[in-house]
Short mmCIF file of all heavy atoms in Angstrom, two decimals:
data_model
loop_
_atom_site.label_atom_id
_atom_site.label_comp_id
_atom_site.label_asym_id
_atom_site.label_seq_id
_atom_site.Cartn_x
_atom_site.Cartn_y
_atom_site.Cartn_z
N ARG L 250 155.76 216.42 -22.61
CA ARG L 250 155.85 217.41 -23.61
C ARG L 250 154.91 216.97 -24.80
O ARG L 250 155.00 215.94 -25.25
CB ARG L 250 157.30 217.28 -24.23
CG ARG L 250 158.06 218.45 -23.98
CD ARG L 250 159.33 218.52 -24.88
NE ARG L 250 160.37 219.35 -24.40
CZ ARG L 250 161.54 218.70 -24.10
NH1 ARG L 250 161.73 217.44 -24.22
NH2 ARG L 250 162.48 219.52 -23.58
N ASP L 251 154.13 217.94 -25.18
CA ASP L 251 153.25 217.57 -26.44
C ASP L 251 152.33 216.38 -26.29
O ASP L 251 151.71 215.90 -27.17
CB ASP L 251 154.04 217.38 -27.66
CG ASP L 251 154.65 218.53 -28.27
OD1 ASP L 251 154.25 219.74 -27.71
OD2 ASP L 251 155.38 218.57 -29.08
N ILE L 390 162.70 206.19 -32.20
CA ILE L 390 161.66 207.04 -31.88
C ILE L 390 160.85 207.51 -33.06
O ILE L 390 159.57 207.49 -33.00
CB ILE L 390 162.11 208.17 -31.03
CG1 ILE L 390 162.67 207.59 -29.67
CG2 ILE L 390 161.12 209.34 -30.83
CD1 ILE L 390 163.47 208.65 -28.72
N LEU L 391 161.48 207.82 -34.20
CA LEU L 391 160.85 208.40 -35.41
C LEU L 391 160.39 207.39 -36.41
O LEU L 391 159.44 207.78 -37.11
CB LEU L 391 161.81 209.36 -35.85
CG LEU L 391 162.03 210.64 -35.01
CD1 LEU L 391 163.23 211.47 -35.53
CD2 LEU L 391 160.85 211.52 -34.90
N GLN L 394 156.75 206.46 -37.72
CA GLN L 394 155.99 207.35 -38.38
C GLN L 394 156.00 207.07 -39.95
O GLN L 394 155.01 207.48 -40.69
CB GLN L 394 156.49 208.83 -38.21
CG GLN L 394 156.35 209.31 -36.81
CD GLN L 394 156.52 210.81 -36.70
OE1 GLN L 394 156.13 211.65 -37.61
NE2 GLN L 394 157.17 211.23 -35.68
N LYS L 402 151.84 208.72 -36.58
CA LYS L 402 152.34 210.04 -36.45
C LYS L 402 152.36 210.60 -35.07
O LYS L 402 153.21 211.49 -34.80
CB LYS L 402 151.47 211.03 -37.33
CG LYS L 402 151.50 210.70 -38.77
CD LYS L 402 152.70 211.08 -39.40
CE LYS L 402 152.78 210.61 -40.81
NZ LYS L 402 154.25 210.47 -41.28
N VAL L 404 153.33 209.85 -31.41
CA VAL L 404 154.12 208.88 -30.67
C VAL L 404 154.55 209.52 -29.21
O VAL L 404 155.07 210.60 -29.23
CB VAL L 404 155.36 208.50 -31.41
CG1 VAL L 404 156.19 207.48 -30.65
CG2 VAL L 404 154.99 208.01 -32.80
N VAL L 405 154.35 208.76 -28.23
CA VAL L 405 154.65 209.15 -26.91
C VAL L 405 155.96 208.34 -26.50
O VAL L 405 155.92 207.08 -26.60
CB VAL L 405 153.58 208.97 -25.87
CG1 VAL L 405 154.03 209.48 -24.52
CG2 VAL L 405 152.30 209.52 -26.33
N VAL L 406 156.89 208.87 -25.90
CA VAL L 406 158.07 208.23 -25.34
C VAL L 406 158.16 208.41 -23.83
O VAL L 406 158.35 209.52 -23.41
CB VAL L 406 159.37 208.54 -26.03
CG1 VAL L 406 160.61 207.66 -25.59
CG2 VAL L 406 159.23 208.58 -27.53
N ILE L 416 165.31 212.67 -26.28
CA ILE L 416 164.06 213.22 -26.79
C ILE L 416 164.27 214.54 -27.53
O ILE L 416 163.71 214.71 -28.67
CB ILE L 416 163.09 213.50 -25.59
CG1 ILE L 416 162.92 212.24 -24.81
CG2 ILE L 416 161.69 214.03 -26.14
CD1 ILE L 416 162.04 211.13 -25.50
N SER L 419 165.75 213.85 -30.95
CA SER L 419 164.70 213.24 -31.85
C SER L 419 163.77 214.42 -32.39
O SER L 419 163.43 214.41 -33.56
CB SER L 419 163.83 212.20 -31.23
OG SER L 419 164.71 211.18 -30.78
N ARG L 420 163.34 215.30 -31.53
CA ARG L 420 162.55 216.33 -31.96
C ARG L 420 163.27 217.29 -32.97
O ARG L 420 162.55 217.68 -33.91
CB ARG L 420 162.04 217.12 -30.69
CG ARG L 420 161.15 216.35 -29.79
CD ARG L 420 160.84 216.93 -28.49
NE ARG L 420 160.34 218.20 -28.56
CZ ARG L 420 158.98 218.52 -28.60
NH1 ARG L 420 158.10 217.41 -28.62
NH2 ARG L 420 158.42 219.66 -28.65
N ALA L 423 163.51 215.56 -36.35
CA ALA L 423 162.29 215.57 -37.06
C ALA L 423 162.11 216.90 -37.77
O ALA L 423 161.74 216.90 -38.98
CB ALA L 423 161.22 215.39 -36.00
N VAL L 433 156.50 214.23 -37.58
CA VAL L 433 155.87 215.01 -36.31
C VAL L 433 156.95 214.79 -35.18
O VAL L 433 157.49 213.76 -34.86
CB VAL L 433 154.59 214.55 -35.95
CG1 VAL L 433 154.00 215.28 -34.73
CG2 VAL L 433 153.66 214.55 -37.19
N ARG L 434 157.16 215.93 -34.48
CA ARG L 434 158.00 215.87 -33.19
C ARG L 434 157.47 214.84 -32.16
O ARG L 434 156.22 214.90 -31.96
CB ARG L 434 158.08 217.19 -32.48
CG ARG L 434 158.85 218.13 -33.13
CD ARG L 434 158.85 219.49 -32.44
NE ARG L 434 159.61 220.58 -32.91
CZ ARG L 434 159.78 221.77 -32.41
NH1 ARG L 434 159.08 222.04 -31.25
NH2 ARG L 434 160.56 222.59 -33.02
N PRO L 435 158.18 213.87 -31.77
CA PRO L 435 157.56 213.00 -30.70
C PRO L 435 157.21 213.75 -29.35
O PRO L 435 157.90 214.58 -28.98
CB PRO L 435 158.71 212.10 -30.53
CG PRO L 435 159.93 212.72 -30.94
CD PRO L 435 159.61 213.73 -32.00
N ALA L 436 156.25 213.10 -28.63
CA ALA L 436 155.76 213.59 -27.41
C ALA L 436 156.63 212.74 -26.38
O ALA L 436 157.21 211.70 -26.69
CB ALA L 436 154.27 213.55 -27.18
N SER L 437 156.46 213.12 -25.13
CA SER L 437 157.22 212.43 -24.08
C SER L 437 156.52 212.59 -22.71
O SER L 437 155.84 213.58 -22.59
CB SER L 437 158.68 212.77 -23.96
OG SER L 437 158.76 214.19 -23.96
#
Side-chain angles (χ1 to χ4, degrees):
R250 247 199 206 115
D251 284 355
I390 292 171
L391 292 168
Q394 296 192 35
K402 296 291 171 204
V404 180
V405 187
V406 186
I416 302 292
S419 300
R420 290 167 63 86
V433 177
R434 289 179 178 181
S437 45

